[in-house]
Amino acid sequence: MSSDIAKNLPFLVAFSKFGKIGSIRFQKIKDYFKNFQKAWEANKQDLQKAGWENKIIDDFLKFRKNITPEKELDLLKKENIK
């Protein structure tokens, strides 16, 4: 696994758990941030600049408080999910 993918993987897993992100919003953050860790850590203003709607941003910011990307990836590994 390349180091870029390895660095982004925990954040990709965490984003996948947020039920309000589909292919369009996912593409918007990919295009704007280029790095999923930066997208995960982004503030409201940067998520707005990336093209997300305010309601989705507010929901995401609440969701993000309860998720640790590295722990989510560890859970998958423990279940032998690749």
Side-chain angles (χ1 to χ4, degrees), residues 13-19 40 56-68 72:
V13 170
F15 271 119
S16 75
K17 298 199 65 128
F18 181 58
W40 183 263
I56 299 300
I57 295 169
D58 292 340
D59 291 348
F60 173 71
L61 294 175
K62 289 176 192 169
F63 166 83
R64 184 175 72 181
K65 290 179 184 179
N66 299 312
I67 298 288
T68 304
E72 295 302 318

Side-chain angles (χ1 to χ4, degrees), residues 8-41:
N8 280 296
L9 190 56
F11 302 98
L12 289 167
V13 170
F15 271 119
S16 75
K17 298 199 65 128
F18 181 58
K20 297 180 182 182
I21 184 171
S23 59
I24 293 172
R25 287 187 187 108
F26 186 80
Q27 189 64 47
K28 286 180 179 182
I29 60 170
K30 181 180 177 216
D31 291 345
Y32 185 81
F33 293 102
K34 311 287 190 237
N35 173 308
F36 290 102
Q37 181 175 356
K38 288 180 184 176
W40 183 263
E41 296 169 350

Side-chain angles (χ1 to χ4, degrees), residues 40-77:
W40 183 263
E41 296 169 350
N43 62 31
K44 184 171 185 168
Q45 292 77 22
D46 285 334
L47 291 168
Q48 287 171 326
K49 290 176 187 175
W52 280 21
E53 304 87 356
N54 284 331
K55 172 71 171 121
I56 299 300
I57 295 169
D58 292 340
D59 291 348
F60 173 71
L61 294 175
K62 289 176 192 169
F63 166 83
R64 184 175 72 181
K65 290 179 184 179
N66 299 312
I67 298 288
T68 304
E70 293 79 8
K71 286 183 183 178
E72 295 302 318
L73 183 59
D74 287 343
L75 289 171
L76 292 179
K77 288 178 181 178

